[in-house]
Amino acid sequence: GLRNEEANILVVGLDNSGKTTILNQLKSEDTRAMDIVPTIGFSVEKFKSKSLTITAFDMSGQGRYRTLWEQYYRDCQGIIFVVDSSDKIRMVVARDELDSLIKHPELAIKRVPVLFFANKMDLRDAVSSVKVSSLMGLEDIRDKPWHICASNGLTGEGLHEGIEWLTEQLK
Ligand code: GTP
Ligand code: MG
């Protein structure tokens, strides 16, 4: 279990999927940013989920920065993978990135829980979390516990269900 009540969580997914927006929602109201800009490189955010203090590594999803993700595989206890549910075209790219993540030697050796947010559920073009799950090939993930939640990063809908699942996995 987590004796020190702290966990490092790696937050990945394509650019524009809503990672920074989601993390901003999870912070206490008084520390929230007013506006969100595309992440350059990565940034570190802290928030609490019950008694657990989470340090989130909010990675940039832009192609040229994706090579940074693997530098954090070794030290993370959990992963949040954010998918834009309305971007069916780029979900193929997201699936490729997920495949490389799952197969990466640093992660292949550990049973790290992976939480998926099927984000932007509010958009007209958004597909269901079940559909995101099949388009992303999540059933093929064998050696890691995973969970998917439909979410709305703008309102916070669906976020706490996901974070609670992740927190439970980290105990
Ligand atoms: P990078 O830092 O470039 O990797 O992107 P990111 O994944 O951090 O995305 P970011 O949080 O910057 O959000 C991208 C855009 O999507 C912003 O305009 C957000 O306001 C918007 N957005 C985030 N979540 C949602 C959502 O659930 N619904 C809608 N409609 N828009 C959202
Ligand atoms: Mg960002």
Side-chain angles (χ1 to χ4, degrees):
L2 288 168
R3 251 159 272 123
N4 53 5
E5 307 289 339
E6 286 196 28
N8 291 335
I9 303 297
L10 182 65
V11 185
V12 295
L14 300 188
D15 50 297
N16 199 49
S17 56
K19 301 176 292 296
T20 305
T21 306
I22 286 173
L23 290 172
N24 195 47
Q25 275 292 340
L26 292 169
K27 299 205 292 189
S28 63
E29 239 166 297
D30 53 314
T31 59
R32 271 179 214 159
M34 293 298 278
D35 43 31
I36 307 284
V37 293
T39 308
I40 305 296
F42 72 99
S43 75
V44 181
E45 300 291 343
K46 271 189 193 256
F47 61 91
K48 286 203 110 185
S49 169
K50 297 191 178 134
S51 64
L52 184 68
T53 302
I54 292 178
T55 302
F57 292 84
D58 177 16
M59 306 306 293
S60 167
Q62 287 180 58
R64 68 189 132 150
Y65 294 120
R66 281 179 215 152
T67 51
L68 291 176
W69 298 2
E70 65 182 6
Q71 295 186 19
Y72 298 86
Y73 291 167
R74 189 195 300 260
D75 291 327
C76 70
Q77 281 98 48
I79 294 175
I80 297 176
F81 197 111
V82 182
V83 181
D84 178 346
S85 313
S86 72
D87 192 354
K88 269 182 91 178
I89 293 167
R90 289 211 304 161
M91 228 174 278
V92 187
V93 182
R95 183 180 175 150
D96 275 350
E97 293 295 351
L98 175 65
D99 283 343
S100 340
L101 179 151
I102 294 288
K103 285 182 191 137
H104 193 281
E106 211 77 73
L107 286 180
I109 54 166
K110 60 186 200 184
R111 203 177 165 276
V112 55
V114 189
L115 169 65
F116 293 89
F117 281 124
N119 197 38
K120 305 199 183 184
M121 63 190 262
D122 56 297
L123 294 182
R124 220 190 152 78
D125 291 336
V127 296
S128 70
S129 59
V130 174
K131 182 84 179 167
V132 170
S133 169
S134 74
L135 289 170
M136 292 290 291
L138 303 191
E139 318 74 43
D140 298 338
I141 303 175
R142 299 260 172 257
D143 50 346
K144 291 171 180 52
W146 62 269
H147 184 73
I148 186 165
C149 288
S151 67
N152 180 340
L154 301 176
T155 62
E157 213 177 334
L159 300 184
H160 288 283
E161 185 208 320
I163 296 302
E164 267 180 33
W165 175 84
L166 190 60
T167 307
E168 235 1 80
Q169 296 298 312
L170 294 170
K171 276 182 185 160

